Amino acid sequence: MRLRAPPPGKEIRLSPAGVVPDDARVRYSINIPNFGDFADPRAVARVAEAAEDAGWDGLFVWDHVVHDKRERHGQPFGDPWMLLTAAALATSRLRLGTLVTPVARRRPEQLARQVATLDALSGGRVIFSAGIGGPIEDEFGSFGDTTDAVVLAQRLDEGLGLLDRYWSGEPVTHEGRHYRVRDVELLPATVQQPRPPVWIGGFWPHRRPMLRAARWDGVVPLFKSATHGYPPAVEEVRELVAFVREHRERTGPFEVVLGGVSPGDPAEARELVEPLAEAGATWWDERQLQRSDDLHRLGPVLRRVEQGPPGYRARS
């Protein structure tokens, strides 16, 4: 593994958060869990390096402490920010982040420092994705925390607001329902300003997560009709994109991140991705089937990474 991260202090010029560069196109990422083989930062670094060499645009890891406790019993889990640190040191171009971080499970000030440190180390390549997280009984109930989805959603929204302010480097005072801050300035600010792009996860057709996403820079939807690894129906994507656009108050581009298992044949892959892009997708996130034995195994994932992303790039 060779270290590729830019040296500290190097000037990085980036687009504002959530703004797609002028060469707008569908971008491609690799999605891996933070358990099994990928609990090892060296395995994640190997995937990241291979992904950059093969022409992928991003690498995203899960953010779980436990997940399906009975099924994953005995499996190791890695801290996602340590895993992404290894990926950052092995690459120089790849965008990096979690899909998704349960903000309600973390202290916002600690999370702000982790993201800002990774953003500095990577030269401004972090994308931050957030959601309520789940399974709720595993991730929260296992540790005596609330499993009330309403309370977790409140903590998510309040925590996102604090992260936004912390990343600016400006002093923060806050008196909220769940968090209190007294004149705190967290430095350094993130390399990307006003902050890293923030994508929001949630299940469609639930409206509340999509309303939350409309306030930020992108959406990472899961679909009731298409479980992890299965591409969503084009018509559902159109409905989701129309809903978010209707409720979006910010100007500028908005990322729509869809995913699944793409066919190995380039023509078939194009037939899959092109209609989704025409419906509004801006990223294709390559994922293993959640119930597949290959989900957390380095060998199968690495072979798919080395094949390169689907060939479709243009976006209408």
Side-chain angles (χ1 to χ4, degrees):
M1 181 186 76
R2 53 192 183 276
L3 302 184
R4 301 184 182 182
K10 181 178 179 180
E11 181 181 3
I12 304 295
R13 295 184 178 182
L14 297 168
S15 301
V19 175
V20 179
D22 292 338
D23 63 335
R25 55 187 171 83
V26 175
R27 286 170 164 74
Y28 295 93
S29 57
I30 292 293
N31 180 301
I32 56 175
N34 63 317
F35 50 76
D37 289 352
F38 304 114
D40 185 344
R42 291 163 294 192
V44 175
R46 188 175 174 187
V47 170
E49 185 175 6
E52 186 163 278
D53 288 342
W56 297 85
D57 300 295
L59 173 72
F60 299 109
V61 302
W62 299 13
D63 186 343
H64 289 286
V65 176
V66 292
H67 185 273
D68 293 337
K69 287 196 296 185
R70 293 181 180 178
E71 183 176 343
R72 306 293 171 200
H73 180 73
Q75 283 191 346
F77 280 66
D79 178 83
W81 302 104
M82 296 298 293
L83 300 179
L84 289 169
T85 296
L89 290 171
T91 58
S92 60
R93 177 189 57 81
L94 210 63
R95 299 305 297 263
L96 304 167
T98 55
L99 286 182
V100 296
T101 288
V103 173
R105 183 163 50 75
R106 297 176 177 269
R107 296 296 304 179
E109 62 272 19
Q110 181 185 21
L111 185 57
R113 289 303 80 205
Q114 291 171 311
V115 174
T117 301
L118 181 62
D119 203 44
L121 174 66
S122 66
R125 291 186 280 136
V126 172
I127 295 171
F128 182 73
S129 299
I132 289 180
I136 290 178
E137 288 292 340
D138 284 355
E139 291 284 293
F140 295 92
S142 296
F143 304 99
D145 203 347
T146 182
T147 56
D148 186 330
V150 173
V151 173
L152 295 177
Q154 292 170 351
R155 280 160 50 176
L156 168 59
D157 287 326
E158 192 174 341
L160 282 169
L162 282 171
L163 289 172
D164 189 19
R165 297 172 66 188
Y166 285 144
W167 288 331
S168 73
E170 298 295 324
V172 175
T173 295
H174 174 80
E175 188 75 23
R177 178 177 296 185
H178 300 285
Y179 305 109
R180 293 170 179 80
V181 186
R182 297 179 182 177
D183 191 24
V184 173
E185 183 181 45
L186 296 184
L187 296 173
T190 51
V191 171
Q192 298 178 85
Q193 283 295 311
R195 52 172 167 71
V198 175
W199 298 348
I200 302 298
F203 275 92
W204 178 259
H206 293 169
R207 266 46 178 178
R208 289 182 180 177
M210 304 306 134
L211 290 172
R212 179 179 297 114
R215 299 195 294 268
W216 297 94
D217 308 310
V219 62
V220 189
L222 295 174
F223 294 79
K224 292 288 188 180
S225 60
T227 56
H228 189 278
Y230 291 94
V234 173
E235 186 54 41
E236 286 195 76
V237 175
R238 289 198 187 99
E239 292 172 357
L240 181 151
V241 171
F243 179 84
V244 172
R245 286 176 177 170
E246 178 185 354
H247 293 89
R248 184 159 169 77
E249 297 180 359
R250 297 180 182 220
T251 59
F254 183 82
E255 306 289 0
V256 178
V257 186
L258 305 178
V261 178
S262 65
D265 179 80
E268 292 180 5
R270 181 184 180 93
E271 290 178 1
L272 169 64
V273 177
E274 184 172 8
L276 296 172
E278 291 173 351
T282 62
W283 281 77
W284 172 263
D285 188 49
E286 188 72 24
R287 305 165 183 172
Q288 297 286 337
L289 298 177
Q290 186 161 331
R291 299 304 175 187
S292 168
D293 292 337
D294 293 342
L295 174 68
H296 53 82
R297 294 172 56 208
L298 174 61
V301 170
L302 197 58
R303 285 193 293 272
R304 177 63 190 92
V305 168
E306 291 171 344
Q307 290 174 354
Y312 182 78
R313 285 286 184 181
R315 198 180 78 216
S316 57

